[in-house]
Amino acid sequence: MFLQWSIINLLLLAVSEGKDVVPQTYVPVILFSHNLTPELHKYFGRFDDSPWLPQDIFFDAARELVDECTSSAYVLINQPGLRKDDFAEYDLEFSSLEKYISFSSTAIALEQVEALPEDTFDQLADYTKEKCRIDKVLHVQGDNLDSFQPYIDVDKRIIHIDFPPLPEEQELRGQAISEHDAALRKIMAQIPSPSRSVIYTSLKPDTDVKDPIGRIFPHIFMDKNRELPIERNNHILNIPPPVNNYKPKYLGMSSEYISIFDEQFINENKQLLVAIATGLVGFLVFQLMPKSISKVQVQSPPKSRVDRKSTKGVDKN
């Protein structure tokens, strides 16, 4: 009974503000990834003219967002009561979310998806854990930042964020969206790696505008330049060339083989080769001369005939 009165009060409040509202049967979905996810680009602009989409389209896109397992964190964000009209009416309040999307390599918006089951993120978490071999899942209350435990290790994680429902009153709704957007920025800032894949939607429908106006971030999701699968965050490849040409002081050793018998080498170093040869000959001569002199000094001079005769006479006596 209390739930029925709450719904009636919400409807009356919306009517008093000039809005024709109905129970919510469709929810907006945004999927984006810091790294390029080429398979997801086939959804870009594909359903712009579709008034609504079945759940199967969402689940197919969500799985393709995960399949390559290139992200360090998979962030699943549940904003109860979120509707397509909010992005047109409170675009400034979604400033952080808008920046994360615009800086992503891949981003698509499914503006009107058939209301999703409340266990949608549990299903996706199980699929991601099995597909990408992830063991750690963090459950975070969006209105309690202490529920997020910062981490610094390199293990991949699934981060499931639940925000409180959005109020219906216009001013309070805008304030709540702004607060939740700021909380999201603080949570995302504590994730060690910028390599993230994100799904942002509502798993608890509330009320919806009967004839929603506007599009979800049209400057992003209607920009045809984003339709091409281009890696936007590979900063190593995007470094501009230096202004001045690099000129090292030392050019390194030449790989060309040099021979002493090369004619060009002999002509260019003729004086040096002559000096080396002269020095070598002189060194050899200098080394051999003392040995020759010492041999001459050691040999005794031959005796004369007079000396031999005198010696012979003395022997006889």
Side-chain angles (χ1 to χ4, degrees), residues 169-201:
E169 198 275 322
Q170 185 174 6
E171 184 175 351
L172 295 177
R173 190 177 185 88
Q175 181 180 350
I177 290 174
S178 180
E179 291 175 354
H180 297 177
D181 187 73
L184 177 62
R185 182 180 70 249
K186 293 179 181 179
I187 294 172
M188 298 282 272
Q190 296 182 77
I191 299 176
S193 172
S195 178
R196 301 177 286 249
S197 293
V198 181
I199 299 177
Y200 187 93
T201 188

Side-chain angles (χ1 to χ4, degrees), residues 18 35-36 57 61 80 97 102 112 118 133 185 197 203 261 315:
N35 298 329
L36 179 65
I57 298 295
L97 178 63
S102 62
Q112 292 280 71
E118 289 191 25
R133 298 181 181 180
R185 182 180 70 249
S197 293
L203 301 181
F261 302 105
D315 291 341

